[in-house]
């Protein structure tokens, strides 16, 4: 008897004991004389079920989870290898799990399905189909497709990707670079990591397409050092892509070239800001550069450079393969396509949810997230990382859309959604925003470097009940100064969470909730 079992190999599954589950499954199969094909796939993104073990059957894959090593024997006794489902951990067909079934996975279509390092598996699931088409196109045609798709940057600022590419394309021929921002510093985010750990060829394909589009033959991935598993898997994928002729000189006999390397960051939030990232890539301390000149004109080593987030680049292969319209058909208003949302914080069912723009936060948090893990009422949610506003209940019916969020001072950012129950102390959260900025500021401009330190002090005085009205006014003024006077969005957005607390939870700046 031969059976194929899938045990994920990404950071989340490993943290939950996936290696032990894989080892135990191998030993048990050996003892029982079962020929086992054990595939270390990526995570499906249903984190509360990790390690999520799957078994292949003639009718599709069946899921079991969360599986611990100690569960393996009882699962096998109950018929795991035969695809039986008479076990408390049996979840039925993987594709029918509502959390997965109700998503619109374009970028994440292969994640959890394939063996991350198998090029054959990648190709069998439409991998490199976009690249193969693009190898016959000129750069402008690729740029046009990305423009027509309506794709906007998924790293935070939501700048139209095609327009950025056009600017680099239009610079005179010469050395140009593609830089992938894989610093993923936002709280509650992990989508970039999942791409790199679970579908690394997708990013390689997306960056190669960017290179072909703008005329760049060198790319760098700037990866946060806190992601050692992503570093290992992605580096191995790079080596295999070179061996298979998908990178390097004369890609698949096309006469086109693209080289790609990974560089590790050193743990500074500000190195996710694109100009600071470029300084860091150049071997300097990461300090924000004044713009203009834009990186698209004068970027890495002073050369025209595309800087894009992992998710922006990972969306492009679908666009080239299925067509710009197929991507643009999803979404609402000027927010086209899908967004890989990341549910985190105090949530019952945390994980990756890729959906077209337009779903409301409430639907996301309730239908997918299942409410809070503690079972207590949800009180606030922070979307878009540590610089995003705290959204109270009255804003949860807003559709997730860049413009709809901007209308009330919110940001969609990288799609991180961090939930808080009613025990959260919003005054403490406001203080944390200023404290975070004071620690992570690059120090180049005064409103941020000094303002954040003063911000912590003013909030401390408010919390101590000192001159409450005066200090409230001072805090409001300070926030305005930081928003208006900071050189980059670090100092410019730190006030957003603070202002949202001042507006929606004003009493908690001076009194702790009981
Ligand atoms: C303080 C700060 C931190 C940032 N961190 C990240 C990050 O971790 N990853 C990212 O892709 N973009 C980050 N950004 C946004 C980048 O500066 C830039 O807009 C982005 O890499 C552009 O790619 P995109 O157009 O594909 O989004 C950050 C911006 C700021 C101001
Ligand atoms: S706002 Fe802060 S992080 Fe940005 S340039 Fe100024 S000091 Fe540096």
């Amino acid at each position: 008897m031969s059976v194929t079992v899938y045990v994920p190999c990404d950071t989340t599954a490993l943290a939950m004991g996936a290696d032990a589950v894989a080892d135990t499954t191998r030993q048990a199969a050996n003892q029982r004389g079962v020929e086992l094909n054990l595939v270390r796939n990526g995570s499906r993104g249903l984190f509360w079920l990790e390690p999520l073990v799957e078994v292949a059957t003639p009718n599709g894959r069946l899921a079991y989870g969360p599986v611990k090593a100690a569960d393996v024997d009882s699962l096998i006794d109950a018929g795991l290898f035969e695809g039986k489902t008479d076990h408390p951990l049996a979840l039925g067909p993987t594709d029918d799990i509502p959390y997965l079934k109700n998503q619109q996975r374009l970028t994440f279509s292969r994640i959890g399905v394939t063996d991350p390092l198998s090029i054959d598996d990648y190709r069998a699931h439409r991998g490199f189909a976009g690249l193969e088409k693009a190898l016959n196109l000129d750069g402008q045609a690729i740029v046009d497709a990305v423009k027509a798709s309506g794709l906007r940057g998924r790293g935070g600022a939501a700048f139209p990707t095609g327009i950025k590419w056009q600017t680099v394309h239009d610079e005179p021929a010469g050395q140009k670079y593609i830089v992938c921002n894989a610093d993923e510093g936002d709280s509650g985010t992990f989508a970039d990591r999942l791409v790199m750990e679970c579908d690394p060829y997708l990013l390689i394909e997306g960056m190669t397409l960017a290179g072909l589009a703008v005329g760049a033959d060198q790319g760098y991935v700037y990866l946060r050092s806190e992601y050692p598993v992503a570093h290992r898997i992605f580096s191995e994928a790079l080596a295999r892509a070179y061996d298979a002729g998908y990178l390097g000189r004369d890609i698949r006999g096309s006469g086109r070239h693209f080289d790609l390397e990974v560089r590790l960051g050193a743990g500074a939030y500000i190195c996710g800001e694109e100009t600071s990232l470029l300084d860091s890539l150049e071997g300097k301390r990461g300090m924000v550069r004044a713009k203009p000149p834009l990186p698209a004109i004068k970027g890495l080593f002073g050369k025209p450079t595309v800087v894009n987030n992992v998710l922006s680049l990972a969306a492009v292969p679908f666009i080239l393969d299925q067509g710009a319209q197929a991507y643009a058909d999803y979404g609402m208003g000027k927010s086209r396509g899908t967004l890989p949302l990341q549910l985190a914080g105090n949530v019952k069912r945390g994980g990756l949810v890729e959906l077209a723009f337009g779903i409301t936060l409430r639907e996301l948090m309730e239908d997918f997230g299942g409410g809070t893990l503690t079972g207590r009422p949800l009180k606030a949610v922070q979307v878009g990382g540590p610089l995003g506003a705290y959204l109270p209940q009255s804003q949860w019916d807003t559709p997730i859309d860049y413009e709809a969020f901007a209308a009330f001072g919110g940001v969609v950012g990288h799609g991180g959604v961090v939930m808080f129950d009613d025990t959260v102390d919003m005054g403490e959260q406001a203080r944390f925003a200023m404290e975070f900025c004071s620690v992570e500021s690059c120090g180049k401009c005064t409103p941020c470097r000094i303002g954040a330190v003063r911000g912590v002090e003013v909030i401390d005085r408010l919390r101590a009940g000192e001159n409450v009205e005066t200090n409230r006014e001072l805090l409001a003024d300070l926030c305005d100064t930081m928003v208006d006077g900071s050189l980059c969005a670090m100092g410019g957005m730190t006030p957003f969470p603070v202002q949202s607390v001042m507006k929606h939870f004003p009493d908690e700046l001076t009194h702790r909730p009981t």
Side-chain angles (χ1 to χ4, degrees):
M1 173 196 181
S2 146
V3 61
T4 300
V5 172
Y6 299 83
V7 181
C9 67
D10 67 292
T11 299
T12 311
L14 292 180
M16 301 307 289
D19 272 351
V21 171
D23 289 345
T24 314
T25 308
R26 248 188 236 108
Q27 286 159 14
N30 234 346
Q31 282 161 7
R32 293 166 198 237
V34 173
E35 194 188 317
L36 177 69
N37 173 29
L38 186 76
V39 179
R40 300 304 302 270
N41 61 333
S43 172
R44 294 275 192 164
L46 283 58
F47 288 167
W48 76 102
L49 296 174
E50 292 293 1
L52 181 87
V53 173
E54 291 176 82
V55 61
T57 77
N59 301 321
R61 280 155 68 165
L62 300 175
Y64 304 81
V67 176
K68 298 206 177 341
D71 300 319
V72 169
D73 273 331
S74 77
L75 275 164
I76 296 175
D77 289 342
L80 173 85
F81 290 156
E82 295 82 35
K84 294 195 179 146
T85 52
D86 187 19
H87 190 282
L89 296 180
L91 301 162
T94 316
D95 290 337
D96 288 349
I97 300 173
Y99 197 89
L100 207 48
K101 193 176 181 176
N102 297 331
Q103 297 193 31
Q104 293 152 309
R105 288 194 167 189
L106 307 184
T107 302
F108 278 69
S109 64
R110 261 179 309 267
I111 285 188
V113 176
T114 53
D115 171 349
L117 284 171
S118 164
I119 290 189
D120 288 344
D121 218 359
Y122 184 65
R123 285 172 54 98
H125 292 83
R126 301 205 68 81
F128 290 128
L131 178 63
E132 265 145 33
K133 281 189 192 162
L135 286 172
N136 299 313
L137 299 175
D138 65 15
Q140 186 60 55
I142 304 173
V143 172
D144 286 344
V146 175
K147 273 192 200 160
S149 74
L151 177 66
R152 291 166 71 177
R154 304 292 191 236
F159 188 81
T161 306
I163 293 181
K164 187 182 284 185
W165 289 19
Q166 186 72 65
T167 309
V168 179
H169 171 275
D170 291 349
E171 284 297 290
Q175 184 63 61
K176 300 178 184 180
Y177 294 107
I178 307 298
V179 171
C180 171
N181 189 339
D183 201 48
E184 194 156 58
D186 280 1
S187 37
T189 61
F190 41 79
D192 295 350
R193 173 176 68 71
L194 284 181
V195 168
M196 295 187 68
E197 292 177 347
C198 309
D199 201 12
Y201 299 115
L202 177 66
L203 180 58
I204 292 173
E205 185 178 356
M207 289 188 72
T208 309
L209 288 167
L212 296 178
V214 305
D217 64 1
Q218 177 69 51
Y220 294 98
V221 176
Y222 186 86
L223 174 65
R224 66 184 352 239
S225 59
E226 295 90 334
Y227 282 174
V229 178
H231 186 222
R232 175 172 52 74
I233 295 178
F234 191 76
S235 301
E236 176 61 27
L238 270 187
R240 294 191 190 194
Y242 268 103
D243 284 349
Y246 283 104
L247 281 174
R249 311 296 296 170
D250 194 19
I251 297 169
R252 304 292 280 180
S254 66
R256 320 283 286 269
H257 318 305
F258 191 66
D259 284 300
L260 189 50
E261 295 173 43
V262 190
R263 292 282 184 274
L264 286 181
Y269 182 72
I270 197 59
C271 285
E273 192 282 332
E274 58 185 4
T275 61
S276 196
L277 182 155
L278 293 175
D279 265 14
S280 178
L281 255 185
E282 290 178 7
K284 303 170 190 151
R285 173 179 166 185
M287 294 284 280
V288 173
R289 300 177 184 174
K291 290 191 267 191
L294 294 171
I297 310 278
K298 210 166 174 276
L300 188 63
F301 302 115
K303 303 294 180 192
T305 303
V306 168
V307 184
N308 271 138
N309 173 251
V310 173
L311 297 179
S312 317
L313 293 159
V316 176
F318 175 92
I319 294 165
L320 267 293
D321 177 26
Q322 310 271 323
Q325 192 56 46
Y327 192 77
D329 281 346
Y330 292 86
M332 65 175 281
K334 291 187 197 154
S335 305
R336 307 311 315 171
T338 57
L339 181 64
L341 292 148
Q342 300 128 85
L343 270 176
N346 192 336
V347 58
K348 203 179 210 165
R349 296 193 292 260
L352 191 289
V353 183
E354 182 177 353
L355 288 169
F357 287 93
I359 185 174
T360 68
L361 262 179
R362 194 187 295 278
E363 287 165 330
L364 179 70
M365 296 189 295
E366 291 177 359
D367 300 351
F368 286 89
T372 60
L373 180 66
T374 50
R376 297 184 65 90
L378 190 59
K379 176 165 162 185
V381 54
Q382 189 177 34
V383 183
L387 315 181
Y390 287 99
L391 311 181
Q393 166 127 226
S394 58
Q395 292 172 337
W396 299 344
D397 294 309
T398 312
I400 297 177
D401 160 77
Y402 294 120
E403 277 64 41
F405 267 54
F408 62 71
V411 287
V412 174
H414 187 49
V417 176
V418 181
M419 293 161 56
F420 298 84
D421 77 8
D422 62 349
T423 61
V424 66
D425 177 344
M426 296 309 294
E428 197 56 44
Q429 295 303 119
R431 184 187 191 280
F432 173 72
M434 287 292 189
E435 191 188 19
F436 180 77
C437 183
S438 73
V439 172
E440 297 291 341
S441 164
C442 84
K444 188 157 179 164
C445 68
T446 314
C448 168
R449 184 185 67 246
I450 307 288
V453 178
R454 295 288 96 89
V456 174
E457 293 166 359
V458 179
I459 293 175
D460 280 345
R461 289 202 293 273
L462 276 168
R463 307 277 285 160
E466 284 176 35
N467 301 326
V468 167
E469 283 323 305
T470 313
N471 279 313
R472 266 190 206 280
E473 274 176 42
L474 198 55
L475 186 60
D477 265 7
L478 178 64
C479 284
D480 289 344
T481 305
M482 288 176 74
V483 169
D484 296 338
S486 295
L487 183 60
C488 85
M490 176 82 206
M493 287 172 60
T494 287
F496 289 4
V498 181
Q499 288 167 325
S500 65
V501 172
M502 292 169 80
K503 183 165 179 192
H504 302 293
F505 307 95
D507 294 345
E508 292 188 32
L509 269 176
T510 45
H511 300 104
R512 290 169 199 281
T514 44

